Amino acid sequence: QARLVESGGGLVQAGGSLRLSCAASGRTFSNYAMGWFRQAPGKEREFVATISRSAISTYYADSVKGRFTISRVNAKNTVYLQMNSLKPEDTAVYYCAADPVFSTVAATPGYWGQGTQVTVSS
């Protein structure tokens, strides 16, 4: 079973940047497409970004396009989410997700991390 552990969350002022990391273990990392989701207080969990197994393809939610960048280093079993120009509405718990199928990881991934809190102050 894949295990996903997020890190890098914290408190940042609006306009600032953070980089989230997700370390994977338990399975062959390069066999999995990876994704990031977020859940703000009182709201449903929403898709943020996904990246294919080889990193050739990426896909972003409209709300983060141009500000966030997803990347991965298969040799380190790690996926990243670089977040720039952060806004207060980006405040949420951010979750890493994994699935063998690229199209599935953006919708109903099979594996989830425990989440990391990102708070953007105005």
Side-chain angles (χ1 to χ4, degrees):
Q1 181 165 342
R3 181 169 180 260
L4 306 173
V5 179
E6 302 94 336
S7 62
L11 173 64
V12 64
Q13 288 188 333
S17 299
L18 279 176
R19 188 176 80 156
L20 305 183
S21 300
C22 172
S25 62
R27 295 282 183 173
T28 302
F29 181 70
S30 59
N31 287 344
Y32 286 77
M34 303 296 296
W36 287 95
F37 289 73
R38 67 186 182 185
Q39 187 168 19
K43 296 186 177 181
E44 294 188 352
R45 190 176 299 186
E46 65 175 2
F47 165 78
V48 174
T50 186
I51 188 167
S52 63
R53 291 177 288 181
S54 60
I56 290 177
S57 299
T58 57
Y59 182 65
Y60 297 91
D62 288 343
S63 59
V64 306
K65 202 172 296 182
R67 300 188 298 122
F68 291 11
T69 302
I70 189 171
S71 61
R72 64 189 294 164
V73 179
N74 286 344
K76 294 185 177 181
N77 291 349
T78 302
V79 63
Y80 304 96
L81 185 68
Q82 178 67 43
M83 306 185 294
N84 298 328
S85 301
L86 282 161
K87 304 175 182 179
E89 50 264 42
D90 294 319
T91 295
V93 176
Y94 282 71
Y95 297 90
C96 178
D99 198 273
V101 180
F102 181 53
S103 59
T104 302
V105 76
T108 55
Y111 301 97
W112 291 94
Q114 84 290 347
T116 186
Q117 176 71 47
V118 171
T119 303
V120 185
S121 64
S122 57

